[in-house]
Amino acid sequence: MSRKLMRFTGVGGQGVLLAGEIFAAAKIKSGGHGLKTATYTSQVRGGATVVDITLDDEEIFYPYAKEGEIDFMLSVAQVSYNSFKNGVKEGGTIVVEPNLVQATEEDRKKWNIVEIPIITIAKEEVGNVITQSVVALAIANNYMDAIDKDLLEEVMLSKVPAKVHEINKKAYELGYKYSDATKAAK
């Protein structure tokens, strides 16, 4: 596997940091190297948050994603989308929550913009908005083919309390279902 660079953006409290931690842990568990670097304007809920995820079979010597080299970004907040989108390479994929993030026509020409209602899926289909980070995790992995699907689910389940395993499994499957549908539509 060549190096894969992903970015998750949102606001504090949306779980983007957990998604990055899960990706990095899964890559390490598979025998590779993974890390997440997080930046947040505030640790308080509501502040812009970004986590960059680097996955590679080779050792990673520089912990930060270089701006303009990120392959994939997922954003669930307009403020974070606007602040961090330019780190994505031209032609890269950006998945947005369309109820909260509006990409411009210029953005649509520069990147592959995909709209998936991540929070709506978590809230209405899973029944718990907290699972949005797991929906996002599955979407990102489906688009990037970064980690074995079953291994990523196993690591995700190891990071959440046992009492919420079933709803997180449902969120994970729905993330794959919706991303499969958007990939097929392209």
Side-chain angles (χ1 to χ4, degrees), residues 95-99 115-132 134-136 139 167 170-179 182:
V95 173
V96 297
E97 161 55 80
N99 297 306
E115 296 180 349
I116 302 176
I118 299 160
I119 295 172
T120 302
I121 294 165
K123 188 187 277 186
E124 295 179 11
E125 293 192 45
V126 179
N128 189 328
V129 73
I130 287 293
T131 63
Q132 68 181 304
V134 176
V135 174
I139 291 167
I167 63 168
K170 183 175 183 181
Y172 192 72
E173 287 308 314
L174 285 168
Y176 267 92
K177 174 185 165 189
Y178 277 86
S179 54
T182 59

Side-chain angles (χ1 to χ4, degrees), residues 93-156:
T93 296
I94 302 177
V95 173
V96 297
E97 161 55 80
N99 297 306
L100 299 173
V101 178
Q102 302 302 313
T104 66
E105 283 308 310
E106 185 179 307
D107 293 348
R108 292 177 189 282
K109 291 175 185 168
K110 186 174 182 179
W111 299 293
N112 173 32
I113 303 290
V114 178
E115 296 180 349
I116 302 176
I118 299 160
I119 295 172
T120 302
I121 294 165
K123 188 187 277 186
E124 295 179 11
E125 293 192 45
V126 179
N128 189 328
V129 73
I130 287 293
T131 63
Q132 68 181 304
S133 62
V134 176
V135 174
L137 182 77
I139 291 167
N141 199 47
N142 198 2
Y143 267 91
M144 292 297 295
D145 194 27
I147 305 286
D148 174 79
K149 179 182 177 182
D150 294 333
L151 174 63
L152 188 61
E153 182 179 32
E154 175 189 324
V155 171
M156 176 271 296

Side-chain angles (χ1 to χ4, degrees), residues 23-133:
F23 263 119
K27 184 60 182 173
I28 292 165
K29 187 168 185 169
S30 74
H33 301 270
L35 60 84
K36 69 159 174 94
T37 53
T39 305
Y40 35 86
T41 55
S42 171
Q43 287 190 5
V44 202
R45 289 183 188 273
T49 305
V50 62
V51 61
D52 289 341
I53 304 146
T54 306
L55 307 174
D56 205 332
D57 290 333
E58 304 298 321
E59 192 170 350
I60 300 166
F61 293 103
Y62 185 72
Y64 300 100
K66 292 181 182 172
E67 293 298 298
E69 293 185 5
I70 295 164
D71 304 300
F72 175 93
M73 184 172 101
L74 186 142
S75 187
V76 291
Q78 190 74 49
V79 65
S80 296
Y81 172 81
N82 291 343
S83 296
F84 302 113
K85 67 184 178 183
N86 288 319
V88 179
K89 68 183 179 185
E90 195 163 329
T93 296
I94 302 177
V95 173
V96 297
E97 161 55 80
N99 297 306
L100 299 173
V101 178
Q102 302 302 313
T104 66
E105 283 308 310
E106 185 179 307
D107 293 348
R108 292 177 189 282
K109 291 175 185 168
K110 186 174 182 179
W111 299 293
N112 173 32
I113 303 290
V114 178
E115 296 180 349
I116 302 176
I118 299 160
I119 295 172
T120 302
I121 294 165
K123 188 187 277 186
E124 295 179 11
E125 293 192 45
V126 179
N128 189 328
V129 73
I130 287 293
T131 63
Q132 68 181 304
S133 62

